[in-house]
Amino acid sequence: MPGNTFGTLFRITTWGESHGRGLGVVIDGCPPRIPLDEEMIQSMLNRRRPGGSHASTPRREPDSAVIMSGVFDGITTGTPIMIMVENRDADSTAYEPHAELFRPGHGDITYQVKYGIRDWRGGGRSSGRETVARVAAGAVAKALLLKENIEISAYTLELGGIRIETFNMDVVDKNMFYSPDMDAAERMEARVIQIKELGDSIGGIVAVIAKGVPAGLGDPVFDKMDADLAKALMSIGAVKGVEIGAGFEAAKKQGSENNDPITADGFLSNNAGGILAGITNGDDIVVRAAVKPIPSILIEQKTIDQSGKSRTISTKGRHDVSAIPRINVVCEAMVSLVIADHFLRQRAIQWNEST
Ligand SMILES: Cc1cc2nc3c(=O)[nH]c(=O)nc-3n(C[C@H](O)[C@H](O)[C@H](O)COP(=O)(O)O)c2cc1C
């Protein structure tokens, strides 16, 4: 009921708040004998770390992952894996003047209504920092998938209205926005600087591609692959829309344009985004997430305090201008978790003539 657990066979439970002692995850159901070490988790966490670009918060967390259990001699043992990250750079003082105020666009008001109490320091569990635990879990899912030659990668499709015009995955790691278009990355940087000067924030779109996913993953009817991907991505703070394949564009197409013709050598197009009837078809899975602008902004806005009195707020803490690019690796982690889970679920029912 409390909603901190995700997945069926590859099952994660995350815990922790933005300014508490730390955050972490317990992964239950990870198969044994998968190579895993702290380095693999750390390299994913480094992509989520603040301060990498102009769009990021100046909060400088080392975000050091510690594997507490479930790994021996660099290999998973099949027992629960617990990963912990300490909060070392939390500064709650900037939040003190706002302790009684609800930030427009943030979860302050809904947490207060729901629980009658909230950890106002850095947004508590509604903070983007909560995604540290997801990324750590995603690194383990990726290690499992890597063994099966399934590769999942994310990139920035759009930031503040600037959309990529060329596509080269080789340059994604060569610019701070994870853009596959270097020219667009430069324009994104200029846009972020401009927005930062205004004390405002911007959103964007992240795309995730999964390659090498076998056909047959996904459980109709309620646990369809696309349904589970949508839930996984929508569960990330600031994600407001999810598209699979042609997505919303499919609504404008005719059937003859939208169907992916089938040949003996495979599909001739991929409007389905690699999923038909909730089951993977062997083609690349293509999914996009729409990310809203960061709610905490310097520009003054109307709000109320906890007693319902009208107030204004200008949020001074350390905040991102955009959740992009840091959210890229979070989306990649969530897609990895869903595919790892369905991979194990399919393996559990696989019918083998020799058995
Ligand atoms: C990686 C990441 C970083 C974020 N950074 C911030 C931030 O610095 N300031 C902020 O107000 N919101 C930030 N957010 C967004 C809030 O967490 C989110 O908007 C809030 O929880 C409300 O949820 P909702 O937008 O899904 O309705 C971030 C989200 C993510 C995923």
Side-chain angles (χ1 to χ4, degrees):
M1 190 170 71
N4 296 294
T5 298
F6 184 74
T8 301
L9 289 188
F10 193 96
R11 200 172 176 77
I12 68 161
T13 301
T14 73
W15 54 271
E17 288 87 24
S18 181
H19 290 206
R21 286 286 298 276
L23 304 109
V25 62
V26 177
I27 304 159
D28 206 0
C30 181
R33 299 191 304 280
I34 292 167
L36 184 72
D37 57 29
E38 285 171 357
E39 241 340 278
M40 294 161 83
I41 298 162
Q42 197 59 53
S43 68
M44 284 273 283
L45 283 175
N46 290 349
R47 288 167 57 200
R48 203 216 70 93
R49 197 150 59 184
S53 85
H54 298 290
S56 300
T57 158
R59 180 168 169 170
R60 295 207 175 269
E61 293 278 358
D63 279 356
S64 301
V66 181
I67 298 174
M68 306 289 286
S69 66
V71 179
F72 178 64
D73 269 351
I75 296 169
T76 59
T77 59
T79 61
I81 300 169
M82 177 171 162
I83 304 164
M84 221 184 98
V85 174
E86 239 185 283
N87 285 331
R88 292 200 191 135
D89 189 36
D91 174 12
S92 307
T93 52
Y95 293 86
E96 279 166 14
H98 304 149
E100 296 286 309
L101 302 182
F102 301 133
R103 285 170 296 171
H106 218 296
D108 306 333
I109 192 163
T110 48
Y111 266 61
Q112 189 66 38
V113 168
K114 184 173 176 66
Y115 299 107
I117 180 172
R118 75 196 153 92
D119 182 348
W120 47 261
R121 302 165 308 159
R125 190 138 171 86
S126 72
S127 163
R129 187 149 177 76
E130 166 269 326
T131 59
V132 162
R134 299 170 186 247
V135 172
V140 182
K142 275 189 76 126
L144 183 157
L145 296 174
L146 196 67
K147 239 186 140 197
E148 305 297 331
N149 294 318
I150 300 170
E151 213 178 302
I152 294 160
S153 30
Y155 64 88
T156 298
L157 181 70
E158 197 174 303
L159 175 58
I162 294 161
R163 203 174 174 96
I164 61 162
E165 288 168 9
T166 59
F167 187 82
N168 178 4
M169 274 311 272
D170 292 341
V171 304
V172 163
D173 288 339
K174 297 190 169 52
N175 67 83
M176 57 186 155
F177 295 102
Y178 299 111
S179 161
D181 173 349
M182 289 300 267
D183 289 339
E186 275 181 34
R187 282 179 279 125
M188 286 172 187
E189 184 175 5
R191 179 105 177 102
V192 164
I193 291 169
Q194 179 193 30
I195 293 294
K196 199 174 194 169
E197 278 165 9
L198 297 173
D200 216 340
S201 63
I202 42 176
I205 302 172
V206 172
V208 185
I209 299 181
K211 288 185 179 291
V213 180
L217 308 195
D219 283 342
V221 289
F222 297 116
D223 294 353
K224 290 177 174 174
M225 178 60 86
D226 38 1
D228 281 355
L229 287 171
K231 175 167 182 174
L233 291 167
M234 287 293 283
S235 75
I236 304 169
V239 171
K240 291 294 142 194
V242 174
E243 285 188 323
I244 312 278
F248 275 62
E249 284 301 308
K252 297 182 198 148
K253 290 179 194 265
Q254 292 173 13
S256 54
E257 298 168 303
N258 191 57
N259 293 343
D260 302 312
I262 309 172
T263 73
D265 295 326
F267 297 94
L268 293 184
S269 53
N270 190 13
N271 288 313
I275 304 164
L276 288 168
I279 302 172
T280 55
N281 64 10
D283 219 332
D284 291 352
I285 294 182
V286 181
V287 51
R288 290 178 292 278
V291 181
K292 80 177 192 183
I294 289 288
S296 301
I297 53 174
L298 275 168
I299 294 174
E300 200 169 84
Q301 292 196 298
K302 278 188 182 171
T303 189
I304 55 169
D305 63 21
Q306 270 173 221
S307 66
K309 200 167 145 234
S310 286
R311 304 274 295 269
T312 58
I313 185 168
S314 150
T315 316
K316 301 239 163 40
R318 293 181 287 183
H319 299 286
D320 296 332
V321 173
S322 179
I324 290 174
R326 298 173 57 212
I327 202 170
N328 274 38
V329 70
V330 184
C331 294
E332 188 176 303
M334 292 311 292
V335 170
S336 302
L337 287 166
V338 171
I339 295 175
D341 189 39
H342 276 289
F343 180 84
L344 296 182
R345 288 167 74 166
Q346 180 62 9
R347 208 172 60 174
I349 65 152
Q350 212 123 40
W351 183 69
N352 185 339
E353 291 204 34
S354 64
T355 57

